[in-house]
Amino acid sequence: MTSIADSKPLSMPLPRFRSGMRGTFSLAVVIAFFALLPLGFVFWATAVTGVETASQMIFRPRVGELMTNTLLLVLFTVPLATLLATSLAWLTERSDLPFARVWSALCVAPLAIPAFVHSYAWIGLWPGFHGLPAGIAISVTAYFPFLYLPISAALRLLDPALEDQAASLGLSDAAVFRRVVLPQLRLSILGGGLLVGLHLLAEYGLYAMIRFDTFTTAIVDQFQSTYNGVAANMLALVLVLCCLVLLGFDAGLRGRRRYARIGSGVARRSRKASLGRWRYACMLLPFAAVVFALGIPAITLSRWLFAGGSEIWRMNEIGLALSQTLVICVVGGIATTLAAVPIAWLSVRRPSRGSRIIEGCYYLASSMPGVVVALALVTITVRVALPLYQTVATIVLAYVIMFLPRALISLRSSIAQVPAELEQAAASLGRSPANALWSTTIRLAAPGAAAAVALSSLGIMNELTATQMLAPNGTRTLAMAFWALTSEIDYAGAAPYALLMILFSLPMTALLHHQSKKIAGR
Amino acid sequence: MSFVDIQALRKSFGPVVALDGIDLMVERGSRTVVVGPSGCGKTTLLRLIAGFEAPDAGRILIGGDTMAEGMAAMPAYKRNIGIVAQDGCLFPHLTVAGNIVFGMTEDLSAKQRRAAELMEMVGLERSMLARRPDELSGGQQQRVALARALARKPRLMLLDEPFSALDTGLRAQTRKAIGDVLRQEGIATLLVTHDQAEALTFADQLAVMRGGRLVQAGRPRDVYSRPADPATAAFLGEAIILPAEMTDGHAHCVLGRLPLSDPAMCARQGIIMLRPEQITIAGEDGEGVVFGRVVETSFCGSTCDMRIVLRDDESVVLNIEVPSSTDVIAGQEIALRISGTAHVFG
């Protein structure tokens, strides 16, 4: 008789169950560590500087001036853009506005134009247009699509039965909009508003072109003129604090509530409100928005292109910039998407407190302005890992930090569409966990991954601030070349670069528009 | 004059005719159930009464006021008609209390008092007032939806399949609770459903719809035992439909000589209907029994479903329900007794 103790030990130790998940989790944590480097750097730099020097650097008139500018810019731009985007979304989604589909596409199209090209276009028409009014006007036209996209998607998703119900409880159409529709748009408005706010804080080119000083332009100036670490670092601290305030404000207003549609059943298609005799007059609003957001860039660009003639098409320079841009976009886009895979998989297949915290870290890191990310990576590489200073690896890391959430969104929704049972079936057919993941989920999620690469590449192509500060010597992307030429007041010479950036961005903007419709179930 | 008076109501959606001339009356304080298969137009009828859509033609009068005439319609928010939808349709961004007082115009303290009153009326704890709709069960959501609709003291209450999303046990319980509240408040109610058992239980007046038309309206017992046509008969429950010859107040068919529900019926040839509960297993052979053979039995707990073919004509199949204590097995010959009257389709 043999007891259990006599039985032979297993020749191979059993792997710990779910070890694959642990590996993925650790990978996600490592990526989160890198993503949080810039934020950590800013606080570390403050600590090193010491309270006295830091407060000297922060509490001075110049910072007050920058603060006033930034604050006024945010306080005017975000509400105005919200008002414009909500009106446009209502007109295109819920009224019988003529050519609503066309207007809807045109309201998203401005996203294809980099923000600094918008201001280039405006000062091409009105060279004297500077300061706060210019900043607000250009920011509203450049950024309202960030609000229009989520608000119009939310309007499509609203359950019209709720509006019927409110009418049966004695509310007129206007009251229904105010008390039922608007509260349900809250999350979309907050999300879009936060995105616009963060862009306002982070944008460099748009404001530098119209000579409107914000924290970001001041940090870049400081960095370029003196490499004076401490002054730039302290401005970065204030900028980061502004971002954190914005994030906290958003989180506070958002609360923990999600407005899920309760109950089941297919939502009835919503009815379109009849504009009556105002039907054609109402086209004036989208028309005006499109004239400012698309018409002005189109007029300026075509004027410069026409004035410049064939001379401005210096093909070898443009070709070099284009090829460098494409390489950096593809490398950066793929790296960003790969970095998003672990957390995307975890958040769909093994959601936990830990995975949510990691995800939050990525979002927090990506809301740091490009200038802060660049400043941090420059200092860290110079001090800790000099061989990495101004290398492709560093700039790709910056892109990963800045654009990971974009990749995450596409990737997650496509992974969520693949049933987990397929992965289990592959495992039961003898595939190892990694192999099972590769042959089922990743294969089927490939379109989503492609979209993730595309969306992060779009961001990289139009990124100017961090690219300028981190790019290896001799690199000249389209955005950098455009910026260099406009700085030399060679507006005609810059036009071909702007045109190329817009042309390459268009397909990806179309993809964004398409995705927002798909999310809304149409 | 009836409280609700619907005359020759028509509505089309493009080429699809949803309502093809509906006439319906609802008495003050009564319960009417509109029943019919999916797509028969019953929901459209409800939406027209509520004012969510305008009719193409016809009239809707409530308490003597014209709600809709031809294509002109009073907007929903001016009608003061309450509605409880299939999934409750609570506002997800408001608490239970916020939902209940949503349509009220009184001051805050009156609203709070009324909300507490209504919660009691629909049988919910007051402590639930602070909750969010997604923290309630399906039955609780429906009760809140009813409280919200009652808050404005509506003159008519529309119920759009409000129980169909609930589990079987909860469904009967919620239906009774909601029905009792409405009865107590004396509010005329119109329920729309595709569930015939629910319709028969709830209705004072049953209206059967099919293909955009109102096929029959009347007391549930009458509609059940004297349906207008075979399709209605089958929709409301299991029906035995047979050809027969009529003479002096009786029908002659394969089940023998049966008295007619309407002895004045003068047609010579016709189609008659019996309900399965009119057929019972006779203890022994005797006067007026017919013989059949049990083909199949299936046990359903308290009852047992039985498929029987007639000995004289094996093409006639009867599906009847007997107490499960009945000791009969498949293949056995049995005697059947028929009670009650036969209904002749006009």
Side-chain angles (χ1 to χ4, degrees):
Chain A
M1 202 180 98
T2 56
S3 73
I4 294 170
D6 294 333
S7 65
K8 262 198 263 176
L10 283 165
S11 56
M12 191 180 66
L14 282 170
R16 279 183 70 175
F17 191 59
R18 283 186 167 185
S19 62
M21 187 204 128
R22 276 168 199 282
T24 315
F25 196 85
S26 336
L27 204 57
V29 170
V30 170
I31 297 167
F33 168 76
F34 278 106
L36 289 176
L37 273 182
L39 194 61
F41 162 77
V42 170
F43 291 116
W44 171 82
T46 314
V48 167
T49 308
V51 179
E52 202 164 317
T53 323
S55 53
Q56 254 176 17
M57 289 289 200
I58 293 170
F59 298 106
R60 59 192 168 115
R62 173 68 178 151
V63 177
E65 197 183 304
L66 292 175
M67 188 56 121
T68 316
N69 277 355
T70 308
L71 214 62
L72 287 175
L73 182 70
V74 172
L75 286 182
F76 277 98
T77 306
V78 175
L80 282 174
T82 305
L83 195 65
L84 177 65
T86 311
S87 317
L88 288 172
W90 186 83
L91 281 173
T92 54
E93 296 302 330
R94 298 299 293 273
S95 78
D96 60 350
L97 185 79
F99 315 113
R101 294 297 95 207
V102 178
W103 291 122
S104 163
L106 288 176
C107 284
V108 181
L111 283 180
I113 304 171
F116 48 86
V117 174
H118 275 289
S119 59
Y120 158 83
W122 283 60
I123 58 166
L125 273 188
W126 298 293
F129 198 36
H130 289 307
L132 183 67
I136 294 169
I138 303 174
S139 304
V140 168
T141 48
Y143 293 126
F144 80 84
F146 283 125
L147 277 152
Y148 174 82
L149 265 179
I151 294 175
S152 60
L155 273 177
R156 276 195 294 268
L157 274 178
L158 287 190
D159 182 359
L162 288 175
E163 288 157 56
D164 283 347
Q165 187 69 55
S168 85
L169 293 169
L171 266 65
S172 65
D173 289 349
V176 170
F177 184 81
R178 189 169 52 79
R179 291 184 57 192
V180 177
V181 177
L182 219 46
Q184 296 188 84
L185 295 181
R186 209 176 64 134
L187 288 186
S188 309
I189 290 176
L190 281 174
L194 176 67
L195 197 61
V196 172
L198 290 173
H199 269 89
L200 295 178
L201 292 181
E203 177 60 30
Y204 165 67
L206 194 168
Y207 304 114
M209 186 98 66
I210 54 167
R211 298 204 298 275
F212 178 68
D213 289 342
T214 66
F215 281 111
T216 299
T217 61
I219 295 169
V220 174
D221 288 346
Q222 194 75 251
F223 178 81
Q224 283 174 340
S225 60
T226 59
Y227 286 87
N228 178 351
V230 181
N233 289 350
M234 288 310 101
L235 287 177
L237 173 71
V238 181
L239 180 57
V240 165
L241 291 179
C242 288
C243 290
L244 293 179
V245 165
L246 212 55
L247 288 168
F249 192 62
D250 174 75
L253 282 178
R254 189 175 290 255
R256 285 165 175 273
R257 292 281 155 209
R258 295 199 152 269
Y259 305 148
R261 188 177 130 78
I262 317 164
S264 54
V266 182
R268 194 177 284 270
R269 276 275 186 98
S270 46
R271 272 190 311 282
K272 306 264 176 182
S274 171
L275 298 171
R277 59 201 160 112
W278 297 100
R279 207 164 159 242
Y280 286 92
C282 281
M283 283 207 294
L284 276 178
L285 185 70
F287 180 76
V290 167
V291 161
F292 281 104
L294 296 176
I296 290 179
I299 291 169
T300 313
L301 266 183
S302 47
R303 210 176 66 185
W304 287 125
L305 286 172
F306 185 74
S310 60
E311 246 171 73
I312 55 170
W313 292 91
R314 293 180 287 262
M315 288 318 286
N316 47 354
E317 278 175 38
I318 295 177
L320 186 66
L322 181 61
S323 60
Q324 282 188 337
T325 307
L326 290 182
V327 167
I328 219 163
C329 281
V330 170
V331 172
I334 291 175
T336 308
T337 306
L338 286 178
V341 167
I343 189 63
W345 186 80
L346 281 176
S347 69
V348 174
R349 292 289 150 83
R350 299 266 188 279
S352 65
R353 217 181 143 88
S355 75
R356 276 190 289 276
I357 291 174
I358 295 174
E359 215 183 314
C361 290
Y362 295 144
Y363 278 100
L364 181 66
S366 79
S367 37
M368 292 302 113
V371 67
V372 173
V373 174
L375 198 62
L377 292 185
V378 166
T379 317
I380 292 171
T381 48
V382 167
R383 283 184 173 230
V384 183
L386 194 56
L388 288 176
Y389 178 59
Q390 288 198 336
T391 57
V392 175
T394 312
I395 197 167
V396 165
L397 176 60
Y399 292 147
V400 168
I401 296 172
M402 291 165 71
F403 299 119
L404 195 145
R406 290 194 188 206
L408 178 56
I409 289 168
S410 310
L411 214 50
R412 182 168 45 196
S413 60
S414 58
I415 289 179
Q417 281 165 7
V418 183
E421 286 74 18
L422 284 185
E423 229 172 277
Q424 290 156 3
S428 77
L429 293 170
R431 304 285 185 110
S432 68
N435 196 328
L437 180 70
W438 175 256
S439 57
T440 55
T441 305
I442 291 183
R443 283 289 177 82
L444 291 167
V453 173
L455 289 177
S456 32
S457 299
L458 172 66
I460 293 168
M461 173 172 292
N462 297 337
E463 214 290 328
L464 177 62
T465 331
T467 312
Q468 240 176 353
M469 290 165 70
L470 288 171
N473 268 331
T475 311
R476 198 170 151 101
T477 64
L478 290 173
M480 287 167 79
F482 172 85
W483 190 250
L485 288 167
T486 53
S487 307
E488 297 158 13
I489 323 290
D490 183 2
Y491 290 143
Y497 294 95
L499 184 68
L500 282 174
M501 280 187 280
I502 294 171
L503 286 181
F504 276 93
S505 303
L506 269 177
M508 299 186 218
T509 309
L511 179 77
L512 258 181
H513 190 216
H514 176 73
Q515 272 196 340
S516 84
K517 282 192 170 168
K518 213 168 58 179
I519 292 166
R522 280 207 215 163
Chain B
M1 200 175 98
S2 292
F3 180 59
V4 178
D5 188 356
I6 295 167
Q7 301 165 0
L9 203 62
R10 283 174 194 281
K11 177 74 182 174
S12 304
F13 297 100
V16 182
V17 179
L19 293 182
D20 192 7
I22 298 282
D23 296 280
L24 182 67
M25 310 253 218
V26 174
E27 295 305 323
R28 195 174 290 276
S30 74
R31 294 175 184 172
T32 295
V33 176
V34 177
V35 68
S38 316
C40 69
K42 55 189 192 300
T43 298
T44 303
L45 175 64
L46 201 81
R47 293 178 61 79
L48 287 180
I49 298 172
F52 301 152
E53 319 256 3
D56 295 339
R59 293 215 307 163
I60 301 172
L61 297 162
I62 295 178
D65 302 332
T66 307
M67 295 288 127
E69 180 151 23
M71 294 173 78
M74 182 189 280
Y77 72 92
K78 291 185 179 162
R79 294 192 181 192
N80 196 17
I81 296 176
I83 182 164
V84 179
Q86 190 165 4
D87 51 12
C89 212
L90 299 182
F91 299 115
H93 58 291
L94 299 175
T95 58
V96 168
N99 267 284
I100 292 179
V101 303
F102 188 86
M104 293 169 66
T105 48
E106 289 89 337
D107 61 53
L108 190 65
S109 62
K111 279 183 180 175
Q112 281 172 341
R113 215 170 34 245
R114 182 92 174 116
E117 239 173 67
L118 284 161
M119 286 295 272
E120 201 162 305
M121 197 187 284
V122 298
L124 291 175
E125 297 282 330
R126 279 184 197 193
S127 59
M128 282 185 181
L129 280 169
R131 292 220 199 147
R132 292 272 170 172
D134 54 7
E135 294 166 334
L136 303 182
S137 72
Q140 289 167 340
Q141 286 184 22
Q142 294 298 15
R143 287 169 190 236
V144 173
L146 178 74
R148 177 177 65 180
L150 284 173
R152 282 165 45 81
K153 302 196 169 72
R155 45 181 166 181
L156 174 66
M157 183 68 78
L158 304 175
L159 306 175
D160 184 5
E161 307 210 16
F163 316 115
S164 66
L166 307 179
D167 299 332
T168 321
L170 193 59
R171 188 182 307 172
Q173 186 196 338
T174 312
R175 182 171 59 217
K176 175 150 172 36
I178 287 184
D180 289 349
V181 170
L182 289 166
R183 176 87 77 200
Q184 194 184 322
E185 296 291 299
I187 297 170
T189 305
L190 198 119
L191 166 74
V192 149
T193 181
H194 64 267
D195 179 340
Q196 93 316 8
E198 180 168 293
L200 292 166
T201 317
F202 197 79
D204 295 330
Q205 176 188 222
L206 185 68
V208 182
M209 275 186 75
R210 200 163 57 239
R213 290 169 180 279
L214 193 65
V215 184
Q216 194 175 6
R219 286 171 47 222
R221 195 173 282 277
D222 293 344
V223 179
Y224 179 74
S225 57
R226 297 178 188 184
D229 53 37
T232 307
F235 182 75
L236 292 178
E238 189 73 42
I240 297 157
I241 291 164
L242 298 166
E245 270 179 42
M246 266 67 75
T247 47
D248 53 297
H250 283 77
H252 298 269
C253 65
V254 287
L255 295 177
R257 185 164 179 269
L258 306 169
L260 291 177
S261 57
D262 180 8
M265 195 76 207
C266 55
R268 289 206 37 82
Q269 299 270 322
I271 306 282
I272 61 162
M273 182 213 74
L274 296 167
R275 291 295 182 185
E277 60 270 20
Q278 291 177 259
I279 299 174
T280 46
I281 296 175
E284 59 222 43
D285 303 1
E287 190 67 1
V289 298
V290 286
F291 293 96
R293 181 165 50 81
V294 178
V295 187
E296 196 184 325
T297 65
S298 48
F299 178 67
C300 312
S302 67
T303 60
C304 181
D305 284 347
M306 218 170 257
R307 206 147 71 88
I308 299 166
V309 293
L310 286 191
R311 191 170 67 184
D312 297 340
D313 182 352
E314 295 224 336
S315 70
V316 177
V317 181
L318 306 174
N319 290 309
I320 66 168
E321 210 179 70
V322 297
S324 56
S325 54
T326 315
D327 187 23
V328 174
I329 54 164
Q332 194 173 328
E333 293 264 334
I334 51 171
L336 300 168
R337 186 179 301 284
I338 291 108
S339 56
T341 57
H343 169 68
V344 186
F345 294 116

